[in-house]
Amino acid sequence: VAFSDKQEALVNDAYEAFKADIPKYSVVFYTSILEKAPAAKNLFSFLANGVDPSNPKLTAHAEKLFGLVRDSAAQLKASGAVVADAALGAVHSQKAVNDAQFLVVKEALVKTLKEAVGAKWSDELSGAVEVAYDELAAAIKKAY
Ligand code: HEM
Ligand code: ISQ
């Protein structure tokens, strides 16, 4: 898909806003996921004791995911396509992650970035994040 310099810059801005307080925004992210999909608690061992922002595994996994969305935007701008590591496809197919779950994570991502970005949030930013996420999710699912 076509992805402009502007769209990539918007996704970068959102990522930087998340990075400004990773523990805080990780709580927003996981809480939103668990509200919609309580069973996610059983998928991630680091949620066993609840959403604890001082658990380094919890923040590291969130940071990794947000970072991959940002990488996805960079790939889209550079080439119009996203390539995901084969290992990423393998992990998710092994856990039988489905489209409904991809949607829950997407909605949590958008909600979290909206809170992080604050007044700079716009439909254009939201749209750019959603395209970057959707193309990344599609690249992961290609390996199924
Ligand atoms: C593992 C990224 C969507 C469930 C992983 C890993 C990455 C990753 C990088 C490797 C371990 C880590 O560093 O966290 C992504 C990305 C997604 C996505 C970029 C969306 C575009 C999902 C969804 C689910 C899910 C929708 C299900 C709710 C899992 C599980 C693991 C995993 C269960 C294994 C965790 C473990 O046991 O360590 N994912 N993921 N992922 N992901 Fe995702
Ligand atoms: C999906 N895959 C890997 C890590 C994650 C962290 C939080 C929410 C979803 C995730």
Side-chain angles (χ1 to χ4, degrees), residues 40 43-46 60-61 64-65 68-69 88 91-92 95 97-98 101-103 105 133 136-137 140:
L43 282 175
F44 300 105
S45 54
F46 51 83
H61 282 253
K64 178 94 213 238
L65 187 142
L68 284 169
V69 174
L88 263 189
V91 170
H92 295 91
K95 302 266 175 184
V97 176
N98 63 34
Q101 292 171 310
F102 272 103
L103 184 60
V105 170
Y133 178 90
L136 174 59
I140 291 172

Side-chain angles (χ1 to χ4, degrees), residues 28 32 37 45 47 49-50 66-67 72-74 76 78 80 117 124 128 135-136 143:
V28 175
S32 170
S45 54
L47 293 180
N49 300 314
F66 281 64
S72 171
L76 285 172
V117 163
E124 197 181 4
E135 294 297 314
L136 174 59

Side-chain angles (χ1 to χ4, degrees), residues 27-97:
V27 170
V28 175
F29 182 54
Y30 288 106
T31 303
S32 170
I33 290 172
L34 290 173
E35 270 169 21
K36 287 178 183 140
K41 193 173 189 228
N42 308 316
L43 282 175
F44 300 105
S45 54
F46 51 83
L47 293 180
N49 300 314
V51 182
D52 172 7
S54 65
N55 180 345
K57 283 195 181 160
L58 185 147
T59 47
H61 282 253
E63 188 177 359
K64 178 94 213 238
L65 187 142
F66 281 64
L68 284 169
V69 174
R70 183 208 204 197
D71 289 348
S72 171
Q75 287 192 53
L76 285 172
K77 192 199 79 168
S79 71
V82 180
V83 178
D85 217 76
L88 263 189
V91 170
H92 295 91
S93 70
Q94 210 148 52
K95 302 266 175 184
V97 176

Side-chain angles (χ1 to χ4, degrees), residues 101-114:
Q101 292 171 310
F102 272 103
L103 184 60
V104 167
V105 170
K106 178 183 175 177
E107 288 175 350
L109 173 81
V110 169
K111 183 185 171 177
T112 303
L113 292 176
K114 185 172 186 181

